[in-house]
Amino acid sequence: MSYVFDAPQQASLAVKGTQDRFPIRRIFCVGRNYEAHAREMGKDPTREAPFFFTKPADAALDTPCTVAYPKLTENLHFEVELVIAIGKGGSEIAEADVMDYIWGASVGLDLTRRDLQQEAKDMGRPWDWGKAFDQSAPIAPIVPIAEVPSVESARIWLAVNGEVKQDADIADLIWSVREHVSILSHSMTLAPGDIVMTGTPAGVGAIVAGDVITGGVDGVGTFEVTIGPRA
Ligand code: MN
């Protein structure tokens, strides 16, 4: 058997402290998972069931990096998020067992073409054009879970050109890592290489070419992303 052309390169992310790489299968993202962010998006932050959207695996890229200002938007937004990397497959995972399926954790950016996302919301269309574009998921090197102090409580922050814009604690997640990974696994079978971007706290805003975005989760890592000229 041979492919009719060269198969695409396996999408992957750096692993902190090693030359090994984490192969990515799918990128799941949790929508509106911090109350204050739900409010700033004009939504009632009651504990409605979590919802998910996806990005293509090759939207992920190592940091530090430069991301071209994406096509079609005039309102590119930053969203700093705790990232969970799944290392063992499973379905219908109990909350109590979720940590057994997690290989590592990181922190990254759910870059969002907010104008296209809003248009999709207004017209009842999918979010893909707002969320799932090229280079839309810059992520810091993944840290093995044994080296991560906590995925329950830690400061999460983001700064634009050194000015802090987002500053919260992952303890404020409406749906905790154990809860939302369990819920996700009841919808589809998780596999090694799946990653979850767990949602962003309040303070999101627009960025333009030339901006330098830094962010982190204490005990997990930091990233730096420069916004380049338009793609
Ligand atoms: Mn997000």
Side-chain angles (χ1 to χ4, degrees):
M1 193 279 282
S2 61
Y3 293 113
V4 296
F5 49 80
D6 290 342
Q9 193 177 352
Q10 171 65 53
S12 66
L13 283 167
V15 173
K16 192 174 184 187
T18 161
Q19 297 298 308
D20 294 342
R21 298 189 61 81
F22 183 91
I24 302 176
R25 182 164 183 258
R26 296 175 290 191
I27 302 175
F28 296 102
C29 305
V30 188
R32 291 193 291 268
N33 205 13
Y34 291 83
E35 288 192 9
H37 175 63
R39 275 192 219 99
E40 76 181 348
M41 291 287 106
K43 295 295 177 182
D44 176 3
T46 50
R47 202 169 141 95
E48 60 182 15
F51 67 95
F52 299 86
F53 59 92
T54 61
K55 293 174 185 266
D58 64 2
L61 69 169
D62 291 326
T63 63
C65 65
T66 296
V67 171
Y69 193 93
K71 301 176 193 300
L72 296 180
T73 186
E74 302 299 333
N75 195 19
L76 177 66
H77 272 209
F78 55 81
E79 296 190 355
V80 64
E81 311 206 354
L82 171 70
V83 176
I84 295 299
I86 301 294
K88 180 176 138 186
S91 70
E92 301 184 3
I93 302 166
E95 286 178 23
D97 298 332
V98 160
M99 295 309 293
D100 297 339
Y101 292 79
I102 296 177
W103 191 92
S106 186
V107 58
L109 269 178
D110 168 15
L111 287 173
T112 301
R113 296 192 287 201
R114 193 71 74 198
D115 42 2
L116 299 192
Q117 184 199 24
Q118 188 59 52
E119 184 178 289
K121 288 180 182 178
D122 293 345
M123 302 186 78
R125 291 176 177 168
W127 284 14
D128 304 50
W129 261 223
K131 289 289 195 178
F133 51 93
D134 298 343
Q135 301 187 308
S136 59
I139 294 174
I142 294 177
V143 177
I145 198 66
E147 299 169 28
V148 173
S150 173
V151 294
E152 305 288 335
S153 177
R155 182 186 180 219
I156 181 170
W157 62 275
L158 177 143
V160 178
N161 304 322
E163 184 181 340
V164 174
K165 301 286 191 181
Q166 294 184 277
D167 196 350
D169 196 291
I170 57 174
D172 295 335
L173 283 167
I174 296 172
W175 296 93
S176 71
V177 170
R178 285 178 186 275
E179 289 171 331
H180 70 242
V181 172
S182 174
I183 289 167
L184 184 56
S185 78
H186 283 76
S187 176
M188 51 187 92
T189 301
L190 295 182
D194 288 339
I195 68 175
V196 185
M197 304 189 77
T198 63
T200 198
V204 300
I207 40 182
V208 297
D211 283 344
V212 177
I213 320 304
T214 50
V217 171
D218 285 358
V220 172
T222 60
F223 62 77
E224 179 176 306
V225 175
T226 302
I227 306 300
R230 191 180 284 276

